[in-house]
Amino acid sequence: MKTIFDKATRDELIARINTLSENSTAQWGKMNAYQMLKHSTLWVEWVLADEKHKQAFIGRVFGKMALKGLLKDEGPLRRNTPTLPELKVQERNGDIESEKKKWIVLIAELAHFSNPDFVHTFFGKMTNEQIGYLAYKHTDHHLRQFNS
């Protein structure tokens, strides 16, 4: 399974990010290109943050089962997969080139990720291996969304 922690995979994702432009349109969902880029940078910043995330009650009930389903194979995330409320982007306009550069820098930072205490607010405590797979799938999902 592809992981964000593999350099060749990161390079592939970065090449795909570089194909995005203000003319990129979503194949599904409600986000425009800027919102997707901003959401994606927020997501990686959220993963990289030193702060402790607390698992929501609904996540304690269904999180591990949902994570297992997401990571069971190399298939992409489903279209219109729900996002965490704190990672929704309301503003519709912004600097696309700046967000692309920021996302690329953050993806490069993931190469050095190591947080054995990471807790996803829905999935719960995750291993570095699981985070690597999920980070790849999340990035791939949004690049597919914009045909990149």
Side-chain angles (χ1 to χ4, degrees), residues 1-12:
M1 189 171 323
K2 289 190 174 185
T3 175
I4 201 83
F5 301 137
D6 176 66
K7 183 176 179 352
T9 300
R10 285 192 311 279
D11 290 346
E12 169 207 322

Side-chain angles (χ1 to χ4, degrees), residues 45-54 115 117-119:
E45 287 173 337
W46 179 77
V47 169
L48 290 170
D50 285 335
E51 65 192 60
K52 295 274 188 187
H53 305 296
K54 187 173 180 170
N115 183 355
D117 298 322
F118 180 80
V119 176

Side-chain angles (χ1 to χ4, degrees), residues 1-134:
M1 189 171 323
K2 289 190 174 185
T3 175
I4 201 83
F5 301 137
D6 176 66
K7 183 176 179 352
T9 300
R10 285 192 311 279
D11 290 346
E12 169 207 322
L13 293 171
I14 289 167
R16 290 169 64 191
I17 290 168
N18 280 318
T19 67
L20 295 165
S21 74
E22 60 188 38
N23 297 321
S24 298
T25 56
Q27 307 301 301
W28 71 84
K30 298 176 184 174
M31 290 191 283
N32 64 27
Y34 171 75
Q35 288 173 309
M36 181 276 289
L37 286 162
K38 182 71 176 177
H39 161 78
S40 297
T41 59
L42 289 171
W43 190 90
V44 179
E45 287 173 337
W46 179 77
V47 169
L48 290 170
D50 285 335
E51 65 192 60
K52 295 274 188 187
H53 305 296
K54 187 173 180 170
Q55 189 176 16
F57 174 75
I58 191 79
R60 288 194 303 266
V61 175
F62 298 109
K64 286 295 178 198
M65 183 174 58
L67 181 63
K68 185 176 180 181
L70 283 178
L71 302 181
K72 73 180 183 291
D73 59 33
E74 293 201 21
L77 297 180
R78 287 187 345 259
R79 291 180 175 197
N80 301 310
T81 300
T83 191
L84 301 171
E86 61 266 33
L87 300 177
K88 289 185 179 180
V89 176
Q90 300 304 318
E91 66 265 20
R92 299 204 45 86
N93 299 309
D95 186 342
I96 286 180
E97 289 305 313
S98 175
E99 285 302 316
K100 282 172 46 176
K101 289 176 185 169
K102 187 174 181 181
W103 194 13
I104 289 166
V105 166
L106 290 166
I107 285 175
E109 285 183 35
L110 282 169
H112 309 289
F113 179 84
S114 177
N115 183 355
D117 298 322
F118 180 80
V119 176
H120 187 284
T121 54
F122 182 72
F123 300 128
K125 187 165 175 47
M126 294 176 65
T127 66
N128 280 4
E129 183 179 46
Q130 290 171 324
I131 293 164
Y133 296 149
L134 183 61

